[in-house]
Amino acid sequence: MSSVSFDHVTKRFGDTTAVDDLTLEVADREFMVLLGPSGCGKTTALRMIAGLESVTEGELRIGERRVNDVDARDRDISMVFQSYALYPHMTVRKNIESPLVATRHARPAAAERAARVREAADVLDLAPYLDRKPGELSGGQRQRVALARAIVRRPQVFLMDEPLSNLDAKLRTQTRLELVELWRRLEATFIYVTHDQVEAMTMASRIAVIADGRLQQVGPPQAVYDRPANLFVAGFIGSPPMNMIAGEVDRSPLAGPLRVRTAIGNIPLPTPPTTNLHSVVAGIRPEHLRLGGSDLSVEVLNVEQLGHERHVICRAGDARWVVRQAAHEPAPAVGERVGLGVDGASLHLFDPTSTERIA
Amino acid sequence: MATDAPRRGAAIGWYVLLSALSLIVLFPVWMTIARALSDGSATLFARTPSVLPYSPIQWDAFSRAFTEGGLGRPLLVSGLVTLIIVAAQTATAVGAAYAFAFLEFPFKRIVMVLCAATLLLPIEVTLIANIQTLQEVGLVSPSQGFGEAIGALTLPFLAQAFGIFLIRQGFLGIPKDLRDAAQLDGYSDLGFLRRVAVPVTRPVIGSFVLIAFLSAYNQYVWPRFSVKTNRWDTVQLALRRFGLDNPDQLNLGFAAAIIAALPVLVLLLVFQKQLIRGLTAGAVK
Amino acid sequence: MGKRRNVRQWALAYALLLPSLVVFAVFAYLPLYRLVHFSLYQQSSRLGGGERYVGFGAVWDVLSGERFLQGTWITIKFLIFTVPAGIALGVLLAMAAHRRLKGIKIFQTIFSSTVASSVAVSSVVFLTLVNEQIGLLRNVSWLSLKSPNSALFAAALSSVWQNLGLTFVIVLAALQTVPEELLEAAHLDGYGAVRRFFRVVVPLISPALFFLAIVLVVYGFQAYAQIELITGGGPLRSTETLLYRITKLQKNTDLQVGASMSLGLFGLTFLVALVQFRLLERRVTYGN
Ligand SMILES: Nc1ncnc2c1ncn2[C@@H]1O[C@H](COP(=O)(O)OP(=O)(O)O)[C@@H](O)[C@H]1O
Ligand SMILES: [Mg+2]
């Protein structure tokens, strides 16, 4: 069906470079999530695929076809907008039908259009609302109308720009699931933009992390989480975020076992790092720290109870660290100095100058 | 509860004031009805003027305005002229507004300024030159026929800048996402204009239609000099026919004035909200 | 996207603009050009008798002549009679009708109803009040059509009445944008009703009042039917406003004077627009 590929694509608005030399292959039937902070160029990348924004440099392909100069109307693509962009003057039925009516390619007959509207409405549980106007629907219902309008034309590629950001938290969780089910059922390529890493982690086949218009890392969610390619990804993915501290690799045999020396203690290294750098940034996820160890020493600032687990906020040198603790373990007292144990195997090391991961 | 009594007192006070003001505002209308119902000679020769109709009361004044006063034809002329002007102004304004709001083209700024500048050239300023032009092409002459008169009455008003900018403002209020969605759905420019932009801005366009109706129907100066034979008088021009020199028909002029105001009054009552929105466009936010 | 698409967009834009541009060219810009031309050339009295260049001196002669200045002065007097009174009455009606009362919509409809009357209709309506032979108020000296100032005032009064609906509607709309909390706060601060009105309400609705003033001035420049139907320009041409004089100068031999005076009227309109523009600019910069 349809893959989408960016080949050294750049998009500039005057002096701002919104998307910078992006090379990315979205495979057919993949659920690709473009993840990054606001303003990083996600929407711009998506709009280039849609044909709503021109490509300044590079080549953009859908399937085998180069689409740089193909009109938006001829790309066989649906898009769900953050604001849903429903036509306020049309009923739900007319809204869903709109792509079938407006198309300048073979326009389906009325009976077939009605059948397809009905089908899309059934998929999204909209049948009872077909004769209402968008103004009479709740946010979640409007969102589903936007989805129905997107699926009714059976495009090869679906684009979604933060489609859940206008929903409340509970509805968002529920819709996440529905979106993934929809993707499985449609067997189409989804490209989904969000700044919310939870959405990315829970839905994506692969995540593309973007910062400042540049691609940082692509990979399956777990791989990105387990081996962040650089400091940005390490800090952006994961909640609570990865704990970081600057340190030095102590590799002199006289000093005893291999370790990273930091201002708050030493972190043991099971295997020598594949670098001869001296200075590094060490990163440890909250779940890889153990209270009561003796590698590092920190001061407890606060204890956040979440019910099923507990986050212990600590002062680690100049930084705030978070330690994840099971609910059944004894909680430390606020103000207490505690020792932390580190599992060296789960340590991430980064080059402080290039910010890249040290493999 | 304690505050109820003074509140009610204040309310009654306001009702009294509002009623008094209403009487003052409506008084001239009442006088016109009273004189329309009065016999012309009685009006002319009344020694002390009265706010009441003079007897014998002529209940048939309004129908006589049509029969003896010949108000039927001017109403038709006015209706036709108004219809043409409103339809044309709306169509040309929607088109131009769309170009200004959504399309990019060379010399856009200059063209916009040229359109806006016509607001400085009302028909009163250009009157004698325009009449001259229309005389030269034969549309304005003592022997002008029906088509020529209608042409002379409507041509200068087939487009007008106020509407263009009012509707453009409405178009600019359409969210960008909606335009993009329409483009992805496959709408062409004209399809988007017809199926989305116009329906979505219907309130604004509706207000403009009402304003256009009002000003087209109520015109006086241009018809006064572009119609050279009273065969093609508009309603407003027909009001000049009823002079003091013909006591028999004196009251018909007042009846005609009431009749002339009725179409707009009906619009005002039916579409009050839209009309007010049009009238206040530009004044508040 | 792409050059072909651009060209198509240009073509569409100009196609959509064409009708408007043609109308503007023929009925706004061509006449402007012709006014300049007529003002610089004296037309011959004979049909097709040609024309003679008279130059800017002749235009100046007209614009500094008695006819133009007198007409301008009468127009300005008409404005003095109509604009402040129009605004004041609009504010009065709007203040009275801007409150929560049962049935207030009825009063609001009544106050806005004169919107329905044209200049011609309101002139005929006022004949029942001020006409020398049949007017109810024919013996009221300050409305008498027999003396210059009162005659102009009588004509102006019909304008004020005709514009009441519009002024009311605009001031009311402006009042409705004044947040109620602001008035309540002022009340709590100890401002009395009068000070509340002048210190809080008037500043907040002043943009609308300026707008109204401009509209009324423009209407004043365009006043014609009131003069023709109520005073006929008399007594002794004392109510002949600028526009009224211009309309009488359409014969070939008068065109030079008429065109020059039209340009004078254009200049005055332009001045008002300039003031309006400045005010709008200020509002954009300092407003909100
Ligand atoms: N139409 C535009 N004109 C100018 N700058 C733009 C335009 N669209 C986006 N940008 C800029 O490009 C950058 C990326 O924007 P966007 O793609 O919307 O980011 P995101 O969707 O990741 O929040 C931002 O700096 C934004 O200001
Ligand atoms: Mg975005």
Side-chain angles (χ1 to χ4, degrees), chain C residues 4-17:
Chain C
R4 256 202 4 251
R5 203 192 142 97
N6 273 340
V7 172
R8 273 221 314 273
Q9 204 174 86
W10 300 349
L12 177 64
Y14 277 105
L16 290 171
L17 283 166

Side-chain angles (χ1 to χ4, degrees), chain A residues 68-123:
Chain A
N68 288 39
D69 298 312
V70 175
D71 195 288
R73 290 176 281 167
D74 302 328
R75 291 195 187 191
D76 194 17
I77 270 178
S78 285
M79 182 158 168
V80 176
F81 293 82
Q82 183 172 357
S83 64
Y84 314 143
L86 301 178
Y87 304 115
H89 60 292
M90 296 183 192
T91 59
V92 168
R93 186 192 309 279
K94 290 281 177 205
N95 262 288
I96 300 175
E97 191 185 20
S98 159
L100 303 179
V101 177
T103 179
R104 56 173 170 179
H105 305 289
R107 184 213 263 197
E112 166 162 15
R113 290 205 304 268
R116 280 169 67 174
V117 168
R118 172 54 66 172
E119 185 191 321
D122 283 342
V123 169

Side-chain angles (χ1 to χ4, degrees), chain C residues 203-226:
Chain C
L204 283 173
I205 65 171
S206 63
L209 297 185
F210 280 128
F211 173 84
L212 201 53
I214 300 289
V215 169
L216 292 180
V217 167
V218 170
Y219 283 4
F221 281 144
Q222 300 173 352
Y224 179 85
Q226 303 91 317

